[in-house]
Amino acid sequence: MCASPPKPAGAGLAAALARSRMLNPLAWFDTSAQIEVRRFAGPASYVAQLASPLRVAHVTDIHVGRITPMKVQRAAVDLVNAERPDLVCITGDFVCHSQAFLDQLGELIRGYQAPVMAVLGNHDHWSGGPEVRAALRRAGAEVLDNIHTTITLRGQALQVVGLDDAYTGHADVERATRGLRHDLPTLGLSHIAEEADHLWTTGVQLVLSGHTHAGQVTLARLNELALGRLIGHKYVHGLYGSRIDERPRGAVYVGAGIGAAVVPLRLGERARREVTIFELGAAPGSFEEHHVDQPPLPGRPPTEKQRNKRIQQVEAKRVKRERKAARTRPQGDDDER
């Protein structure tokens, strides 16, 4: 039998690419309901503060709207409920550029079978923070706007600190942590993960966050290049910091999110849609976790000019919405002068 002729150089790579989704752009638009469940223990300090573990489900960046199908959104709710959490925490970006889907957002929030605590994200403020906040509260969620509260779960107290969105200039750590008790396990919620640096110094041992969507493309660590080196995030996806060191150190988790704001492109294992389960009161390392604590990227804080521009964006979008509403309002609805 004659030997097969040798394959030209690069033929194996070309075949692999042809079989992959890289050369099939339609496959980049991920509308599947496949959602990863990632599991972690809480900080070591919680072990002495809790008699038995509390299960917290973390969801972020659901972006209810045209880009992310409702079947995906409902699948995330069902997945969370199947885990039977004691508390559901959602860290911002509930909507995607508009208020057109607030009814659908309310449907999702009402679908959770555990108490829901939430903080707003930049898309919520761009779309109308008061309206998104009102929709969440009507559906039964507790929205924490730079405040902290204590919730009793299975007879145990958990202190939760919620920061309003830092990206749009709404976060106030001093106000949120004023009067914080240090004898209780304390969980922080912030859409922007870098706020954890400030929260740790006040005694918040674990912060849950979002915003980055894990970069949505994690092949060859492109997410760390784009979001870390180019944009300047210290925390891109997953668990950072330390759950073992004493204060003022702490940990922050950046969720990959459920939805998307532009296209639902997700490539790479770490980029998949995600629900994260935290067993607060279980010791780190007491069960298999998705990954170990990671060191932060170098990071680069936004400049004063960037911060001011982001704040101005919120006001500009509010004025634009009001002008649009005035143009579409029937003439008879105007108040007589």
Side-chain angles (χ1 to χ4, degrees):
M1 181 180 293
C2 296
S4 301
K7 294 181 180 180
L13 175 61
L17 285 173
R19 290 192 301 269
S20 77
R21 62 197 311 180
M22 294 294 288
L23 296 184
N24 179 13
L26 291 178
W28 292 13
F29 293 82
D30 183 6
T31 60
S32 74
Q34 180 182 357
I35 301 169
E36 293 291 312
V37 178
R38 297 184 168 118
R39 302 179 189 278
F40 297 89
S45 59
Y46 286 6
V47 176
Q49 293 174 315
L50 292 169
S52 61
L54 296 175
R55 179 170 293 178
V56 172
H58 175 224
V59 179
T60 192
D61 295 86
I62 62 178
H63 286 291
V64 179
R66 294 183 179 86
I67 294 174
T68 305
M70 281 298 287
K71 72 173 183 179
V72 173
Q73 304 286 9
R74 295 187 181 104
V77 174
D78 291 343
L79 191 55
V80 167
N81 288 338
E83 293 291 330
R84 301 175 66 85
D86 298 296
L87 178 67
V88 177
C89 294
I90 311 179
T91 50
D93 277 5
F94 291 89
V95 294
C96 186
H97 300 296
S98 85
Q99 300 174 23
F101 292 83
L102 291 182
D103 289 344
Q104 289 89 334
L105 172 61
E107 171 200 329
L108 295 172
I109 298 301
R110 286 189 294 272
Y112 287 110
Q113 296 169 2
V116 176
M117 288 191 173
V119 292
L120 298 190
N122 53 298
H123 274 269
D124 304 318
H125 283 288
W126 288 344
S127 303
E131 291 82 1
V132 175
R133 188 181 294 112
L136 290 169
R137 287 174 172 159
R138 283 196 302 270
E142 184 170 357
V143 183
L144 302 179
D145 293 323
N146 296 318
I147 60 172
H148 65 269
T149 188
T150 301
I151 185 172
T152 301
L153 303 169
R154 291 194 286 108
Q156 302 182 95
L158 176 67
Q159 196 168 221
V160 184
V161 178
L163 289 187
D164 203 346
D165 177 53
Y167 187 94
T168 54
H170 289 87
D172 188 336
V173 174
E174 182 180 357
R175 178 185 168 196
T177 58
R178 190 177 299 137
L180 203 63
R181 291 176 57 177
H182 298 296
D183 60 330
L184 296 177
T186 306
L187 179 65
L189 308 180
S190 172
H191 186 60
I192 302 299
E194 282 72 18
E195 293 302 300
D197 294 352
H198 308 300
L199 288 170
W200 291 339
T201 65
T202 69
V204 180
Q205 304 103 313
L206 175 64
V207 180
L208 307 181
S209 64
H211 184 63
T212 62
H213 305 184
Q216 293 191 207
V217 178
T218 60
L219 299 176
R221 308 186 81 164
L222 287 175
N223 58 335
E224 293 187 358
L225 173 63
L227 295 178
R229 292 185 179 273
L230 299 182
I231 295 179
H233 282 293
K234 291 175 66 175
Y235 311 116
V236 173
H237 173 252
L239 193 63
Y240 298 87
S242 174
R243 292 170 292 166
I244 298 174
D245 292 351
E246 295 297 324
R247 297 171 184 162
R249 292 296 305 278
V252 60
Y253 190 85
V254 188
I258 296 295
V262 183
V263 293
L265 165 64
R266 287 182 180 267
L267 293 174
E269 188 271 336
R270 291 285 288 266
R272 294 171 186 164
R273 307 181 197 274
E274 171 187 296
V275 166
T276 314
I277 302 297
F278 282 87
E279 300 288 350
L280 307 185
S286 60
F287 60 86
E288 184 176 355
E289 299 179 309
H290 183 262
H291 60 263
V292 298
D293 305 5
Q294 306 166 129
L297 301 174
R300 184 178 63 255
T303 64
E304 188 69 23
K305 182 178 179 180
Q306 288 173 320
R307 287 194 292 266
N308 289 336
K309 183 178 179 180
R310 293 170 180 177
I311 293 170
Q312 292 165 6
Q313 279 183 316
V314 175
E315 178 63 14
K317 290 177 182 294
R318 183 191 66 79
V319 171
K320 184 177 179 179
R321 286 195 306 273
E322 290 182 351
R323 288 176 177 170
K324 181 178 179 180
R327 289 196 302 269
T328 58
R329 186 186 302 126
Q331 293 183 354
D333 286 357
D334 291 335
D335 292 335
E336 294 183 0
R337 298 184 183 277

